[in-house]
Amino acid sequence: MNSDFDELLQFDKKHIWHPYTSMSNPTAVLPVASAKGVTLTLADGYELIDGMSSWWSALHGYNHPQLNQALIDQSQKMSHVMFGGLTHEPAILLAKKLITITSDNLQHVFFSDSGSVAVEVAIKMSLQYWFAQGRTQKTKLLTVNKGYFGDTFGGMAVCDPVNGMHQMFSGVLAQHIFAEAPASIEKGAWKDEYIDDFKRKLSANHQNIAAVIIEPMVQNAGGLRFYHAEYLQAVRQLCDEYNVLLILDEIATGFGRTGTLFAYEQANIEADILCVGKALTGGYMTLAATLTSPKVVTGIETDGKGVLMHGPTFMANPLACSVANASIDLLLSSPWQLRVNSIEQQLNAELEQCKSLKCVKDVRVKGAIGVVELHQAIDIEWSQKQFTKAGVWLRPFGRLVYVMPPFIIKPYQLTTITDAIFCVLQKLTPKY
Ligand SMILES: *Cc1c(COP(=O)(O)O)cnc(C)c1O
């Protein structure tokens, strides 16, 4: 690495917080100079095959000519205008697309600047829905353990109560209601008793519950757990029965990652409120959206005002909306289902060998998500070094080593990643 960059890295280490790190004892970071397709090129020219899609988002890989062009074209018209009192074509076209590709009941769109904010807006919608109708005691949310809904205070309050940040912020966080995490599919076929705890919590507290919030089919950052479609179907039925709204958070699962365009399709249900983000712009810019139905809008309007109290400065940023439009067009015109299916088959075939390792507790694959769960937490710094040496970019967390590549990854590139996972975990095995 050239010495100029060394200096920059020293500055980074001393002055810049990275996600979930300490300033005085930071974990190592790698300087990326550019990225193209599924390859990240470091400042010294070293190349890594990306197995992370930059946290679920870069579906089409990096530096895609069509997405680049969308940004260039839009930047020559306007990069941003305020959304209060003004509107523009990129936002209108994007709202149209989102309404078209999601379930028929979802007809209204609120744009925001990140997934966490989309969740805040969803929570606010559900609270306003009941307040406006005079049901002011309905202020609680019901969710399940092991969820993740973002790092802002509203989302954090429904994240897993043990592994989330509840303890640190316990005095400040809203107190919500948690049911047992959905049984994961490794436990075998669906049993009706798996919904019992959720049902109990709902029937005991429904007078105070505004909405249920859940990640459909896959619990993502809270543990990469896959659960049964029957669970989600039962959640929908119970929400109807007890008259509470259902918020589905598709921020991680949306746009094909789990094998269907949206994960809720696998349970054949509709959300009252739906959050999308992450892959919405193909990983280019930060943008999210909260969609809802005429029923929720009508409810919010019962108070005679119907004003939804939210409005971020960079709401519906035209650059972000333009690249989102280009990304959705690109996705829908590509054989994405075939690609996700073949990634799924390959991950199943190639991660299988990890099951023979003593340190491995479980291997599971769903769509373009491959997970190797270990018995013990992996040393992140050690493993990052090992994966880098093997020419791949993976960032495990806790006991989970996982891969969620861009959909355009080639079979030989994916094999490089799965080989690296096996080899690195093999080195770990004698330790146990
Ligand atoms: C990442 C994520 C969020 C938060 O999105 P940010 O853009 O990081 O704020 C919320 N919910 C789910 C399911 C996520 O995966």
Side-chain angles (χ1 to χ4, degrees), residues 376-385 396 398 428 431-432:
Q376 291 178 34
I378 189 166
D379 180 332
I380 198 166
E381 213 145 335
W382 174 83
S383 64
Q384 190 170 300
K385 250 184 226 152
L428 206 59
K431 289 193 188 167
Y432 298 125

Side-chain angles (χ1 to χ4, degrees), residues 114-116 148-150 215 249 251-252 278:
S114 74
S116 299
Y148 177 80
F149 301 96
E215 298 153 279
D249 179 346
I251 291 165
K278 285 194 164 92

Side-chain angles (χ1 to χ4, degrees), residues 100-328:
T100 307
I101 63 176
T102 54
S103 60
D104 291 344
N105 68 320
L106 299 174
Q107 293 291 322
H108 307 283
V109 184
F110 189 98
F111 289 112
S112 55
D113 26 27
S114 74
S116 299
V117 176
V119 168
E120 301 287 322
V121 170
I123 294 171
K124 221 181 243 190
M125 280 179 183
S126 72
L127 295 176
Q128 280 198 236
Y129 175 83
W130 295 112
F131 288 171
Q133 298 179 66
R135 302 284 302 272
T136 48
Q137 78 286 17
K138 278 168 105 57
T139 58
K140 299 280 181 204
L141 300 169
L142 170 62
T143 188
V144 290
N145 290 338
K146 301 198 191 294
Y148 177 80
F149 301 96
D151 288 351
T152 52
F153 279 87
M156 211 163 43
V158 279
C159 286
D160 184 79
V162 178
N163 297 317
M165 288 165 273
H166 288 246
Q167 264 145 356
M168 189 179 291
F169 299 111
S170 62
V172 206
L173 284 184
Q175 299 296 308
H176 294 304
I177 302 160
F178 291 82
E180 281 167 15
S184 49
I185 48 176
E186 310 93 86
K187 267 186 95 173
W190 167 254
K191 297 196 186 95
D192 285 338
E193 69 198 50
Y194 289 163
I195 195 71
D196 284 353
D197 189 59
F198 181 90
K199 198 190 240 170
R200 246 192 321 271
K201 301 272 162 58
L202 184 57
S203 81
N205 300 291
H206 66 96
Q207 300 286 0
N208 300 317
I209 293 176
V212 166
I213 182 165
I214 192 165
E215 298 153 279
M217 303 305 292
V218 180
Q219 294 189 284
N220 302 283
L224 290 162
R225 301 173 78 254
F226 308 151
Y227 66 89
H228 301 87
E230 287 90 339
Y231 189 93
L232 202 54
Q233 278 158 359
V235 165
R236 176 70 269 182
Q237 266 169 19
L238 290 165
C239 284
D240 290 339
E241 200 175 308
Y242 286 100
N243 198 19
V244 307
L245 297 174
L246 176 58
I247 303 170
L248 293 184
D249 179 346
E250 289 260 6
I251 291 165
T253 50
F255 303 101
R257 180 60 63 181
T258 68
T260 47
L261 197 55
F262 293 97
Y264 66 74
E265 294 169 21
Q266 295 167 40
N268 213 0
I269 61 152
E270 292 180 345
D272 296 302
I273 302 173
L274 179 77
C275 302
V276 295
K278 285 194 164 92
L280 174 58
T281 63
Y284 263 60
M285 296 192 67
T286 175
L287 181 71
T290 310
L291 283 85
T292 194
S293 65
K295 171 187 153 176
V296 172
V297 169
T298 307
I300 292 172
E301 283 170 358
T302 316
D303 68 354
K305 296 196 274 304
V307 176
L308 183 66
M309 291 308 288
H310 216 91
T313 305
F314 287 99
M315 186 169 177
N317 173 260
L319 286 174
C321 289
S322 297
V323 75
N325 281 320
S327 175
I328 294 172

Side-chain angles (χ1 to χ4, degrees), residues 408-420:
I408 56 149
I409 195 164
K410 299 259 182 1
Y412 77 91
Q413 294 168 319
L414 190 53
T415 300
T416 307
I417 295 176
T418 55
D419 277 353

Side-chain angles (χ1 to χ4, degrees), residues 5-38:
F5 220 100
D6 253 11
E7 220 169 276
L8 291 178
L9 275 179
Q10 283 309 318
F11 189 91
D12 183 301
K13 192 171 175 183
K14 223 168 142 182
H15 297 281
I16 308 179
W17 258 303
H18 285 263
Y20 313 108
T21 54
S22 123
M23 194 76 265
S24 56
N25 185 24
T27 52
V29 292
L30 299 172
V32 186
S34 65
K36 194 169 176 57
V38 296

